[in-house]
């Protein structure tokens, strides 16, 4: 997959794609329905297949001091989009220049003159341009005038409601990773670099891989059964594990992070890239009076995680 960040200087082969447009935070089933319609259009027109998205997320750009809301980082989003077979990821820089474009300027300058799109697929609630003034009807009208096709994808829902990033945030806030996975079509994952921690886990007999949660919407604090994918380095592979997500109250109030104990593993994975799938919420975060009680609980957490993961590993999530 090729990542393209500047729409003003494109190679000829990167123009003329059929594209899905959106923020794609989470890359959930609703997003996938938009993407699959773009893929079908690309096959019909025999042209490249791509996704247009924005970085930073427009909400973060306009509300820089707001509480973190993203389900995944830009890197994790790109990784998931690559998994679904995107040819070109047009990850446009959302800055003062792009944010100030009117809706018709966005169509003319970015979509037509910049990217030369042949066909566009968007969700029915898609808005664009300064002050979100552009609508899907406007996109269809311009498409007829300027010669590109437009498909409006209906929202995806089931008897539990619409599949949306907001609904997924609510599910992980409530400690319902199964419900999040149902809407995503894959386990909810936290991806990032393994960083140095306080080394307490090693001292307790449970060395952990520590990851920052900076910039992400925070799931419910507690202990989870997880699948750990080591993405880089000599230990690349998939493992089962148990993870603690939160502030570690036994040791005071700390910046929230994710600490994963990987079963049947020993190796140095500092600074490697790790992807942790939250498979099942086991219990809330607790404060222990002494380390012996903490270790006993950790022993039980690991036993519970092993049982849960053996039961769930057959599910068609990745």
């Amino acid at each position: 997959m090729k990542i393209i960040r500047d729409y003003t200087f494109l190679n000829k082969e990167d123009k003329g794609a059929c594209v899905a447009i959106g923020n794609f935070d989470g890359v959930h089933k609703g997003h996938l329905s938009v993407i699959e319609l773009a893929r079908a259009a690309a096959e019909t027109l025999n042209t490249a297949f791509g996704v247009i998205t924005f970085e930073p997320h427009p909400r973060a750009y306009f509300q820089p001091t707001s509480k973190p809301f993203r389900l995944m980082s830009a890197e994790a989003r790109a990784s998931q989009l690559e998994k679904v077979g995107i040819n070109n990821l047009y990850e446009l820089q959302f800055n003062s220049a792009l944010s100030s474009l009117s809706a018709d300027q966005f169509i003319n300058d970015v979509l037509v003159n910049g990217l030369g799109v042949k066909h566009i697929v968007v969700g029915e609630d898609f808005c664009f341009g300064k002050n979100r003034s552009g609508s899907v009807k406007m996109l269809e009208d311009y498409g007829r005038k300027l010669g590109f096709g437009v498909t409006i994808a209906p929202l995806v829902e089931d008897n539990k409601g619409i599949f949306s990033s907001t609904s997924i945030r609510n599910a992980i806030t409530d400690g319902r990773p199964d419900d999040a996975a149902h809407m995503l079509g894959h386990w909810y994952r936290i991806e990032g670099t393994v960083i140095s921690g306080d080394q307490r886990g090693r001292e307790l007999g449970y060395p952990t891989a520590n990851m920052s949660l900076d910039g992400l919407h925070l799931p419910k604090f507690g202990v989870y059964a997880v699948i750990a994918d080591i993405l880089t380095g000599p230990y690349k592979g998939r493992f089962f594990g148990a993870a603690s997500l939160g502030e570690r109250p036994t040791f005071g109030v700390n910046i929230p992070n994710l600490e994963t104990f990987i079963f049947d593993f020993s190796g140095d994975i500092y600074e490697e890239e790790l992807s942790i799938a939250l498979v099942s919420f086991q219990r809330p975060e607790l404060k222990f009076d002494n380390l012996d009680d903490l270790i006993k609980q950790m022993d039980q957490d690991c036993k519970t995680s092993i049982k849960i993961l053996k039961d769930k590993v057959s599910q068609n999530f990745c």
Side-chain angles (χ1 to χ4, degrees):
M1 181 180 74
K2 181 184 290 188
I3 299 179
I4 299 159
R5 296 187 171 90
D6 188 345
Y7 64 88
T8 57
F9 297 102
L10 264 67
N11 296 323
K12 185 177 180 181
E13 63 269 21
D14 296 326
K15 289 193 171 189
C18 293
V19 296
I21 309 179
N23 290 309
F24 300 105
D25 187 25
V27 194
H28 55 66
K29 287 181 179 177
H31 297 147
L32 293 176
S33 72
V34 177
I35 289 169
E36 288 308 313
L37 288 169
R39 190 198 309 273
E43 290 173 355
T44 299
L45 297 173
N46 192 29
T47 192
F49 161 49
V51 158
I52 297 174
T53 190
F54 309 95
E55 190 59 34
H57 191 295
R59 178 173 160 187
Y61 177 82
F62 288 118
Q63 304 173 35
T65 61
S66 64
K67 185 177 179 181
F69 64 91
R70 291 184 69 153
L71 292 169
M72 52 173 47
S73 66
E75 293 78 13
R77 179 180 59 191
S79 175
Q80 190 62 34
L81 289 170
E82 185 171 27
K83 287 179 183 178
V84 301
I86 304 299
N87 298 139
N88 291 345
L89 173 57
Y90 302 96
E91 190 182 82
L92 304 186
Q93 299 176 56
F94 198 82
N95 50 27
S96 59
L98 189 62
S99 66
S100 65
L101 294 178
S102 65
D104 64 311
Q105 286 175 322
F106 179 79
I107 292 172
N108 283 289
D109 296 354
V110 179
L111 299 181
V112 177
N113 296 328
L115 302 178
V117 295
K118 286 190 176 180
H119 196 98
I120 294 167
V121 183
V122 295
E124 63 182 51
D125 58 351
F126 180 69
C127 296
F128 61 98
K130 187 175 181 181
N131 298 322
R132 295 170 57 84
S133 59
S135 65
V136 292
K137 183 181 184 308
M138 180 181 183
L139 202 57
E140 289 177 316
D141 290 343
Y142 270 77
R144 284 189 287 270
K145 287 191 295 185
L146 300 178
F148 59 83
V150 177
T151 298
I152 309 302
L155 299 177
V156 177
E157 60 184 315
D158 64 7
N159 58 2
K160 294 182 179 180
I162 294 172
F163 293 177
S164 69
S165 298
T166 298
S167 297
I168 294 164
R169 288 187 200 103
N170 291 338
I172 64 171
T173 296
D174 295 342
R176 297 184 283 114
D178 276 328
D179 288 345
H182 172 67
M183 291 181 277
L184 286 163
H186 54 86
W187 297 115
Y188 172 69
R189 287 181 170 273
I190 295 171
E191 298 190 4
T193 304
V194 179
I195 59 177
S196 296
D198 296 323
Q199 305 294 321
R200 293 194 190 101
R202 190 173 301 278
E203 294 170 4
L204 299 173
Y206 286 96
T208 57
N210 295 270
M211 297 166 64
S212 170
L213 300 172
D214 187 41
L216 296 178
H217 177 81
L218 292 177
K220 185 173 183 177
F221 289 175
V223 172
Y224 292 79
V226 302
I227 296 171
D229 286 312
I230 301 174
L231 303 178
T232 60
Y235 301 103
K236 286 173 67 173
R238 174 165 290 187
F239 305 86
F240 286 170
S244 176
L245 191 156
E247 297 173 330
R248 309 172 299 289
T250 300
F251 305 100
V253 178
N254 301 277
I255 295 172
N257 76 347
L258 178 66
E259 296 183 322
T260 303
F261 174 65
I262 303 175
F263 302 152
D264 304 317
F265 177 81
S266 61
D268 183 357
I269 54 173
Y270 282 120
E271 299 187 359
E272 302 296 355
E273 295 301 306
L274 199 60
S275 177
I276 302 297
L278 304 186
V279 175
S280 180
F281 180 81
Q282 292 181 208
R283 63 168 177 85
E285 193 170 42
L286 301 172
K287 181 177 181 179
F288 294 89
D289 294 330
N290 58 71
L291 294 183
D292 287 341
D293 287 348
L294 172 59
I295 292 170
K296 287 178 184 177
Q297 184 60 59
M298 292 167 72
D299 291 342
Q300 184 57 52
D301 291 338
C302 289
K303 290 176 184 177
T304 303
S305 288
I306 290 169
K307 182 178 185 305
I308 289 170
L309 291 164
K310 284 181 178 178
D311 291 340
K312 289 183 176 286
V313 74
S314 62
Q315 293 189 20
N316 295 321
F317 295 133
C318 59

